[in-house]
Amino acid sequence: MHTIKDNPILKREIMMDHYESPRNFQLSNDSFYRQIHVYSQSCQDDIHLQILINKDIIEDVRFEGKACVIATAATSIMTELIKGCSIKQANEIIENYFAMINQKEYDENLLKEAVALETIGKQANRISCATLSWNGLKELLNENEKKQSESNKN
Amino acid sequence: MFNVDKIRQDFPMLQGKTNEGKPLIYLDNGATTLKPNSVIEAVNNYYQNISSNINRGDYKLAYLVDQAYESARETVANFINCQNKEVVFTYGTTHALNQIAYGYGLNNLKKDDEILITIAEHASNTLPWYRLAAFTKAKVKFIPLDKKGRITAKNVKKMLNEKVKIVSITHVSNVLGCINDIKEISKVVHNFNAILVVDAAQSAPHIKIDVKALDCDFLVFSGHKMCGPTAVGVMYGKYHLLENTQPLMLGGGMNTRFDTNFNVSLKDVPYKFEAGTTNIEAVLGLEAAINYLQKIGLDRIASYEKQLKDYAINRLKKLDNVIVYNPEADIGIISFNVLDKGKIIFGQDVASYLSKHGLCLRSGNHCAKNLWQYLNTDSTVRCALYFYNTKEEVDKLIEVLETTTLEKCIDVIL
């Protein structure tokens, strides 16, 4: 297997592929989905993100929107990584993704194709593109946790 | 003969500076412009030789600054052909438009009155009117643009009625670059006894402004878009309207008396608008910028920019992978997008790629977020030329655009 790390040709292919055919690119009308609208304060990136959580499992992740190649690919890759994960696993992936973005140690095996974005720090002004939906996902999971702990209290 | 090489020597930013390791090619002049030595020296001179406050001191040094400050006012007045007392220094176009919206609008508008703007306006000539409408229960309405994106007297006339109190429009759109015929528009606006506010942020740097000839009621512009310092601008108003306008900010330097019975009397126009210690260095820098532009000559600047813009448009038109949205622009603002396999590459991706080649261009909606219904695209890349740009710089832009692909745009982060 080719490793993505330090392989710009493979990274470019991954980015192109996810930009040209984004995965999970259609919102659901199902009201059980939790939804968030994330958009950049400084550029045009504008994404609606949905997750469907059943017990502890993220059964589905979807998005729609208009965004640059970095934001679109980062979101598409994220949906593939997170779909089917437990919340605990998802949080671990998120943690590793942000560690990678911040040029700290991270687990390549957990991030798979997201490793294509490992050098985003080269263009510091684009970090916000690569983290837009990932921050959205974090927020959705936080909301979910709050709801859970509230309903546990009752 | 317009000697651009000689002009470039006046700008420290044009002396061997780089962007991402490549020679700097600055084409973002719609956002802000580079500064010539004379402007930088005027700012320095204030701090190094005549540092003190205005309108306050009894000592000679303070008097010298007062004189310098008022000389700047006179320079601005001559620049736009009005009286000195009709020139108010602000912190920029945005401040000036807010000053007019609240200072004039709040006292002169009532429920169901109308304010006319267009979808081509910058946020600063849109949002203050939205808020004024919310405060007064007046309505904001949009004058339609013609096919070429211009604001015409004909379309303004269609929208006018006795409820319209304010028409506030741009002289030159920061995305479309066309010059609107303010002279004709002011006639129709005045026929309905409304006032005409002109946003000259994108015109004052490039073409000669004569407020008497335009017969506008207010006209505003920023220093930094015309080789001057940041955070200084001008609000011109006809004197009787300035008298009828309340200051947005109150404080020191703008009042004559006040007491514990809440009696307050203000200074005369224009001083009542200049509360607090103003941006003195920038006012003096703005004067130097105006002197600099006038030394070259606004007419020569306009004709050189026109040539350069025509050259750029002609070259861009020949590229199969570039769409130009405003080929008929009057000034050097060119809005475009780049295609890869027939699909628009997101503007920000293109701008990041261009940056790798030293090229500084802006992408996005350029603060005119209502305009996109007209252009049928969410965002563009904008090349905004100024008189210090060269054909060689345009050539470099074309050379890079010609070979821009989505893959190359991705490569900038790999």
Side-chain angles (χ1 to χ4, degrees):
Chain A
M1 195 192 123
H2 296 289
T3 64
I4 298 166
K5 213 169 178 333
D6 306 322
N7 187 342
I9 295 165
L10 188 53
K11 283 180 189 170
R12 185 206 292 154
E13 269 175 29
I14 293 168
M15 296 290 289
M16 286 286 280
D17 180 32
H18 280 272
Y19 181 65
E20 288 180 338
S21 3
R23 318 294 197 272
N24 304 302
F25 192 76
Q26 190 181 20
L27 293 180
S28 163
N29 292 325
D30 185 338
S31 61
F32 286 102
Y33 280 80
R34 291 187 178 283
Q35 185 162 333
I36 190 167
H37 180 198
V38 285
Y39 49 91
S40 162
Q41 305 223 343
S42 57
C43 75
Q44 302 290 97
D45 294 339
D46 190 296
I47 287 171
H48 292 269
L49 182 70
Q50 284 181 330
I51 55 173
L52 181 67
I53 299 174
N54 187 2
K55 289 177 190 149
D56 257 354
I57 304 296
I58 302 172
E59 287 194 335
D60 199 9
V61 189
R62 293 167 177 239
F63 79 109
E64 266 181 29
K66 276 186 184 167
C68 66
V69 60
I70 296 167
T72 306
T75 311
S76 174
I77 292 168
M78 178 185 84
T79 62
E80 281 202 323
L81 279 175
I82 298 299
K83 203 168 163 173
C85 281
S86 70
I87 289 173
K88 198 178 158 222
Q89 287 170 321
N91 280 327
E92 205 179 343
I93 291 170
I94 293 170
E95 211 174 285
N96 274 274
Y97 183 77
F98 281 94
M100 176 186 82
I101 298 290
N102 296 324
Q103 334 240 304
K104 292 184 183 128
E105 267 185 44
Y106 65 94
D107 184 348
E108 273 178 74
N109 297 322
L110 272 179
L111 292 186
K112 296 178 185 157
E113 288 192 322
V115 175
L117 289 142
E118 67 166 338
T119 49
I120 189 74
K122 276 188 185 177
Q123 291 277 317
N125 59 327
R126 305 301 296 277
I127 289 174
S128 59
C129 309
T131 52
L132 183 68
S133 318
W134 285 81
N135 279 319
L137 176 66
K138 253 190 186 172
E139 216 167 301
L140 283 175
L141 292 177
N142 284 342
E143 260 175 45
N144 182 66
E145 198 183 312
K146 255 191 226 158
K147 277 261 168 74
Q148 290 292 340
S149 62
E150 273 166 29
S151 61
N152 288 344
K153 272 184 219 157
N154 296 335
Chain B
M1 176 62 198
F2 191 89
N3 189 342
V4 70
D5 293 331
K6 193 162 168 283
I7 283 170
R8 288 172 71 87
Q9 287 169 14
D10 297 332
F11 290 80
M13 283 294 291
L14 297 173
Q15 304 308 308
K17 298 286 192 296
T18 58
N19 180 63
E20 298 208 39
K22 296 280 165 55
L24 172 75
I25 299 181
Y26 186 77
L27 300 173
D28 194 16
N29 295 292
T32 197
T33 54
L34 307 178
K35 318 304 172 201
N37 281 314
S38 62
V39 169
I40 298 166
E41 281 159 16
V43 173
N44 278 340
N45 181 52
Y46 169 65
Y47 289 117
Q48 289 181 342
N49 299 312
I50 53 169
S51 222
S52 68
N53 213 331
I54 52 164
N55 301 333
R56 284 165 182 76
D58 295 312
Y59 45 93
K60 186 67 188 277
L61 182 61
Y63 176 72
L64 290 177
V65 185
D66 278 352
Q67 273 191 320
Y69 197 83
E70 290 310 310
S71 146
R73 202 185 302 277
E74 184 165 3
T75 300
V76 172
N78 291 335
F79 181 61
I80 59 172
N81 191 27
C82 67
Q83 302 176 66
N84 295 3
K85 61 183 184 181
E86 292 174 319
V87 172
V88 176
F89 288 117
T90 67
Y91 295 103
T93 301
T94 302
H95 176 207
L97 287 164
N98 278 274
Q99 166 65 70
I100 298 164
Y102 306 122
Y104 179 84
L106 275 179
N107 285 329
N108 289 283
L109 264 71
K110 57 181 189 307
K111 189 170 178 286
D112 295 329
D113 280 344
E114 292 179 9
I115 304 154
L116 301 183
I117 63 171
T118 77
I119 57 167
E121 303 311 319
H122 189 277
S124 59
N125 196 22
T126 303
L127 303 184
W129 304 115
Y130 283 11
R131 186 180 269 179
L132 173 66
F135 281 158
T136 57
K137 298 199 166 63
K139 293 188 176 78
V140 173
K141 292 198 169 167
F142 297 90
I143 304 159
L145 303 177
D146 77 357
K147 277 185 192 147
K148 290 178 180 169
R150 287 183 159 77
I151 310 167
T152 61
K154 198 175 142 201
N155 281 349
V156 174
K157 204 172 170 181
K158 278 187 205 158
M159 297 294 294
L160 281 164
N161 62 65
E162 68 288 351
K163 288 181 185 160
V164 175
K165 296 291 183 292
I166 298 173
V167 178
S168 188
I169 56 173
T170 186
H171 196 182
V172 167
S173 152
N174 72 323
V175 182
L176 302 171
C178 45
I179 302 172
N180 296 308
D181 191 346
I182 299 299
K183 223 169 169 175
E184 282 304 305
I185 293 170
S186 74
K187 280 183 206 158
V188 302
V189 169
H190 291 147
N191 279 341
F192 279 84
N193 295 319
I195 65 152
L196 180 65
V197 181
V198 176
D199 171 0
Q202 297 290 344
S203 61
H206 306 283
I207 55 174
K208 180 96 190 70
I209 301 281
D210 180 336
V211 292
K212 287 225 172 69
L214 296 174
D215 196 25
C216 49
D217 299 290
F218 289 98
L219 180 135
V220 299
F221 56 93
S222 294
H224 73 98
K225 292 190 200 288
M226 49 189 284
C227 296
T230 55
V232 66
V234 169
M235 172 176 76
Y236 155 79
K238 285 180 179 164
Y239 192 74
H240 71 279
L241 290 172
L242 290 176
E243 282 192 303
N244 183 22
T245 300
Q246 296 294 317
L248 187 63
M249 296 195 291
L250 290 95
M254 54 79 71
N255 69 80
T256 53
R257 305 266 185 287
F258 59 89
D259 61 28
T260 51
N261 293 321
F262 310 109
N263 297 306
V264 179
S265 60
L266 302 184
K267 282 190 180 173
D268 292 334
V269 172
Y271 308 104
K272 71 171 183 180
F273 296 108
E274 296 174 2
T277 294
T278 57
N279 198 349
I280 302 168
E281 58 164 274
V283 165
L284 302 181
L286 173 60
E287 179 181 39
I290 290 173
N291 287 337
Y292 182 78
L293 296 180
Q294 284 182 325
K295 208 171 108 200
I296 299 170
L298 263 292
D299 292 337
R300 293 172 72 215
I301 286 173
S303 82
Y304 175 78
E305 282 178 26
K306 173 97 175 43
Q307 269 177 38
L308 191 61
K309 186 224 54 176
D310 288 344
Y311 176 75
I313 294 272
N314 283 333
R315 293 219 54 195
L316 282 168
K317 271 184 177 167
K318 289 184 190 131
L319 301 184
D320 295 334
N321 66 332
V322 171
I323 319 172
V324 177
Y325 294 95
N326 61 337
E328 294 182 51
D330 298 312
I331 69 154
I333 288 177
I334 304 168
S335 287
F336 64 92
N337 269 320
V338 182
L339 303 170
D340 185 346
K341 298 182 199 84
K343 213 175 137 191
I344 289 175
I345 309 176
F346 210 75
Q348 199 185 6
D349 294 321
V350 174
S352 282
Y353 175 63
L354 295 177
S355 170
K356 282 275 169 200
H357 295 271
L359 291 153
C360 303
L361 281 80
R362 183 160 171 203
S363 74
N365 53 35
H366 319 294
C367 297
K369 294 185 187 180
N370 282 333
L371 187 60
W372 308 99
Q373 33 188 313
Y374 169 84
L375 285 180
N376 276 327
T377 178
D378 291 282
S379 72
T380 65
V381 184
R382 181 180 70 180
C383 166
L385 302 163
Y386 209 16
F387 60 87
Y388 42 65
N389 289 124
T390 64
K391 277 191 174 178
E392 290 72 29
E393 290 179 321
V394 171
D395 289 339
K396 181 70 194 178
L397 173 67
I398 303 288
E399 179 196 313
V400 176
L401 287 176
E402 217 167 10
T403 54
T404 299
T405 60
L406 181 59
E407 289 196 2
K408 287 184 183 171
C409 293
I410 290 172
D411 286 354
V412 304
I413 62 147
L414 302 183

